[in-house]
Amino acid sequence: MSLWVDKYRPKKLDQLSYHSNITQNLKALASTGDFPHLLVYGPTGSGKKTRIYSTLNELFGSQVEKLKIDVKTFTTSSNRKLEFNVLSSPYHLEITPSDMGNNDRVVIQDLLKDVASTEQVDFQNTSKSNMKHRFKIVIINEADSLSRDAQAALRRTMEKYSSNIRLIMVCNTTSNIIAPIKSRTLLVRIPAPSSKDIAQILNHISIKEGVKFTTNDENEKLAFLEKLAESSDRNLRKSLLSFETISMQNESIPINNTSLIVLDWEEIIKNLSKSILASKTVANLAKIRVVFYELLSHCIPARIILKKLAFNIIEMTKDKHPGSTINLIELAAIFDERLSLGQKSIFHLEGFVAKAMVELS
């Protein structure tokens, strides 16, 4: 039994229910003979990957849904062998080079060169309408986490093999993408869906799944679903998962008494913020380090921890220390940049907490 987030994921552009102007633009791009390199960016849970796969479906048909995982082996300059997972279909590859850390350049150079040096020929569909798509799409996840060397290698690959491959880079923000790559791609921003959009999607799924509410009033239902969307930061994936969890826990969802889902790690970060404000000591910093290690070991990204912690502290101190808000944002920005440049996340998270303690003392 699949989760609702997968079960109701649209597979075609016509099935997408919000940001219709972006959908029409992607459809127009797919129908042209010259599909460009794309840089798709926007907040988490806004539907970037869903739109990309729907565009691939428009380009190549349902064959892009036949996915398999290949394990590729790469050799670094120091003769170290690295194994790397590649998700692929006959028409595209999906890779996350940033998983390889500083060796992401090796993956970019070797894998893309290998893919690009072989021309994509479709023997099953040799009609004129399909001949124009003699290229393979390479989806690069977390493009904003690529090292500068990898991005430079990517730029060269884009120029040299543009006849055989098209790149679709996916990221949350373009601030870490070098200017030469931005200038060679079409930037597509996918904003977060509005609370109303999410509520409509959740309502549609509730009808399909036969979810029961304690009221039959449509306006009350939609108001509850909008509240759920807001509590999920307008993240559609998170909203769907939360809604499914609530519906599984209740035979009939009590709209007025239902407590919205709060993730454990979010609660832990909230408690950390309270701890920082309550005790600005070295002993407390040592305790906080242990909690950071726990969060990192449970695969919560360091930058997400930093962002949540900073916003929680600002929210809790905006009345008592109104003048410190700008300084805290500046500190968070400095340590966010250091996280992207360094390897040991724990140092930069600790550094932010220590600086925040000094600022608020």
Side-chain angles (χ1 to χ4, degrees):
M1 187 179 75
S2 59
L3 294 168
W4 292 353
V5 73
D6 296 317
K7 187 177 177 181
Y8 293 100
R9 188 189 298 275
K11 291 186 169 59
K12 296 181 180 177
L13 287 172
D14 293 330
Q15 296 171 349
L16 295 167
S17 56
Y18 59 94
H19 300 334
S20 56
N21 57 331
I22 297 173
T23 304
Q24 292 305 317
N25 290 338
L26 289 172
K27 193 179 276 193
L29 281 176
S31 64
T32 62
D34 188 22
F35 190 79
H37 299 296
L38 297 182
L39 177 55
V40 183
Y41 66 102
T44 305
S46 59
K48 299 187 292 292
K49 291 287 283 292
T50 300
R51 271 183 161 68
I52 288 167
Y53 271 97
S54 299
T55 306
L56 291 185
N57 196 304
E58 189 80 17
L59 273 169
F60 303 115
S62 58
Q63 288 287 314
V64 292
E65 294 166 30
K66 295 183 177 177
L67 300 172
K68 62 175 183 175
I69 297 176
D70 296 321
V71 179
K72 303 275 186 185
T73 306
F74 300 97
T75 307
T76 64
S77 53
S78 59
N79 286 329
R80 235 178 94 217
K81 293 213 180 282
L82 302 170
E83 287 192 344
F84 182 70
N85 291 336
V86 179
L87 188 67
S88 65
S89 77
Y91 297 99
H92 86 286
L93 302 174
E94 185 179 338
I95 57 174
T96 311
S98 58
D99 287 348
M100 306 303 288
N102 289 332
N103 295 307
D104 53 359
R105 182 180 59 82
V106 180
V107 173
I108 293 287
Q109 283 180 327
D110 291 5
L111 181 65
L112 295 190
K113 184 180 175 183
D114 185 42
V115 173
S117 57
T118 56
E119 188 177 1
Q120 175 74 2
V121 181
D122 187 355
F123 291 108
Q124 292 179 325
N125 300 302
T126 52
S127 64
K128 284 187 179 178
S129 62
N130 282 288
M131 291 295 277
K132 63 186 179 185
H133 298 321
R134 278 188 167 179
F135 54 79
K136 219 167 191 176
I137 299 275
V138 180
I139 300 170
I140 299 176
N141 294 320
E142 298 176 18
D144 50 345
S145 298
L146 291 173
S147 65
R148 294 281 159 153
D149 287 346
Q151 290 190 47
L154 198 56
R155 184 192 69 180
R156 289 192 294 274
T157 306
M158 289 166 76
E159 291 172 343
K160 193 172 180 182
Y161 300 109
S162 60
S163 59
N164 290 349
I165 60 169
R166 295 290 185 277
L167 300 179
I168 300 180
M169 286 170 274
V170 190
C171 57
N172 292 340
T173 172
T174 59
S175 58
N176 292 331
I177 306 290
I178 60 174
I181 285 182
K182 289 182 194 173
S183 67
R184 287 163 174 77
T185 54
L186 176 67
L187 273 67
V188 180
R189 181 174 177 267
I190 312 291
S194 68
S195 300
K196 196 170 277 188
D197 289 331
I198 294 174
Q200 293 289 350
I201 292 166
L202 296 180
N203 192 41
H204 171 73
I205 290 171
S206 71
I207 294 165
K208 289 265 189 184
E209 290 290 330
V211 176
K212 293 177 183 174
F213 294 86
T214 52
T215 179
N216 292 321
D217 189 320
E218 280 299 314
N219 291 330
E220 283 187 29
K221 279 188 203 174
L222 289 172
F224 167 73
L225 294 173
E226 281 185 41
K227 188 181 168 189
L228 177 62
E230 283 294 336
S231 74
S232 302
D233 300 323
R234 287 165 51 205
N235 179 328
L236 182 53
R237 187 191 306 111
K238 190 176 172 183
S239 300
L240 275 165
L241 291 169
S242 297
F243 183 52
E244 186 173 4
T245 305
I246 291 169
S247 64
M248 293 299 167
Q249 288 173 348
N250 300 278
E251 202 170 300
S252 183
I253 297 175
I255 284 176
N256 298 323
N257 301 323
T258 303
S259 57
L260 299 172
I261 303 292
V262 179
L263 300 177
D264 290 346
W265 64 270
E266 289 182 341
E267 196 63 42
I268 289 168
I269 292 175
K270 203 169 187 179
N271 292 335
L272 270 185
S273 308
K274 290 176 184 173
S275 170
I276 290 164
L277 298 178
S279 174
K280 304 175 186 70
T281 62
V282 175
N284 191 35
L285 189 60
K287 289 177 186 174
I288 289 167
R289 178 192 299 154
V290 176
V291 180
F292 279 149
Y293 272 125
E294 278 292 310
L295 290 168
L296 292 169
S297 67
H298 284 82
C299 299
I300 309 298
R303 296 178 87 164
I304 298 289
I305 296 170
L306 177 66
K307 182 180 172 183
K308 279 279 180 191
L309 190 62
F311 282 147
N312 281 340
I313 293 172
I314 289 166
E315 186 63 32
M316 291 173 185
T317 58
K318 66 182 180 183
D319 295 327
K320 286 185 179 178
H321 304 272
S324 64
T325 301
I326 292 172
N327 293 337
L328 286 168
I329 290 170
E330 192 176 338
L331 284 173
I334 289 166
F335 284 97
D336 183 65
E337 186 197 15
R338 290 180 184 177
L339 276 171
S340 66
L341 298 173
Q343 289 295 304
K344 287 280 186 181
S345 303
I346 192 74
F347 294 161
H348 309 301
L349 290 172
E350 262 191 358
F352 170 72
V353 171
K355 286 279 190 181
M357 283 179 172
V358 172
E359 174 63 33
L360 296 169
S361 58

